[in-house]
Amino acid sequence: MKTVISLILVLILSSCASKKHKEQIAKAQYSLPIIAKKFDAKKHRYIGLTMHCSGGFPRPIDFKNDCPSCRSRNDIYFFWTENEKAYLQKFDNCSAFNIVEIKDFEPEAYLKSNSSELQNEEVGKYQTAPGVYRTTAHYCSSQYIFNDGETKFDQKFNRSDLLGEGENLNFQVNNELKLIDLDKKLNQIILAFENENRFVRNNKTCFDNGTTPIKLSSKPEFHLKL
């Protein structure tokens, strides 16, 4: 009996260790900086972004994501140009999605024209009076990573700092930044694709299938014109 109990305990512990290892693989493979390195290796000029919400704004977990034993918790998007065509690929912490071609936005051209502003701009804090700033425990922040072919840089801002017209002293300045102009363009594209269910998960890249590396194909699996 003791032998059977010991065997059961070993199996349970092994299962837990395996699950933890898989979660570590997912976290390691599918994050904004790690994915960016894959694009760097291919010499792509790109824009990568993700959004994180804390406090009272949790991201809904996608339980039906076709990657067994993985809960989709964060979305990551990369825009890039290759062979004079513009592409978009979605990732989450579970896997990569198939690549789609986009027609109404050219990442490389946008970077070429606005790289300096994107690199040096800063979103001001939500300010209600000189020296007085509003803070909140519930917020969403957007994180960007850029590579214009010469410089790799990142940006991050609190989305609540873009609100408060008539109260926030930095409202107008913030919303006129090139970074925010870009943010609006990309989120419109992403929202359209998401609403039409155009992002198709590439099940072969699910982390729980093993230590499968991220695959970046230059051949999109389907095309979409907005």
Side-chain angles (χ1 to χ4, degrees), residues 55-91:
F57 301 101
R59 178 195 183 278
I61 296 175
D62 178 11
F63 290 95
K64 299 178 180 179
N65 62 14
D66 302 322
C67 280
S69 75
C70 180
R71 294 181 180 181
S72 175
R73 297 180 184 275
N74 64 292
D75 294 329
I76 302 168
Y77 303 89
F78 271 77
F79 294 77
W80 77 98
T81 302
E82 186 175 357
N83 298 323
E84 299 183 351
K85 292 183 179 181
Y87 298 110
L88 165 60
Q89 186 171 19
K90 176 182 176 179
F91 303 83

Side-chain angles (χ1 to χ4, degrees), residues 24-42 46 50 76 78 91-92 143 145 152 212-216:
Q24 290 173 340
I25 292 171
K27 184 177 180 180
Q29 287 195 355
Y30 300 108
S31 65
L32 191 68
I34 295 300
I35 297 169
K37 289 182 180 179
K38 301 292 183 178
F39 280 87
D40 291 336
K42 287 183 170 287
Y46 61 79
T50 188
I76 302 168
F78 271 77
F91 303 83
D92 62 13
Q143 183 177 354
I145 190 164
K152 182 179 178 180
T212 307
I214 297 173
K215 298 178 181 179
L216 299 177

Side-chain angles (χ1 to χ4, degrees), residues 3 9 14 19 24 39 41 53 55 62 65 87 91 94 114 122 143 148 156-157 161-162 172-173 180 197 219 221:
T3 302
L9 289 174
S14 297
K19 182 178 180 181
Q24 290 173 340
F39 280 87
C53 294
D62 178 11
N65 62 14
Y87 298 110
F91 303 83
C94 295
N114 303 288
E122 184 176 348
Q143 183 177 354
D148 63 8
K156 185 177 181 179
F157 62 90
D161 291 331
L162 306 177
Q172 183 174 350
V173 174
I180 304 308
N197 297 316
K219 297 181 179 179
E221 309 230 7

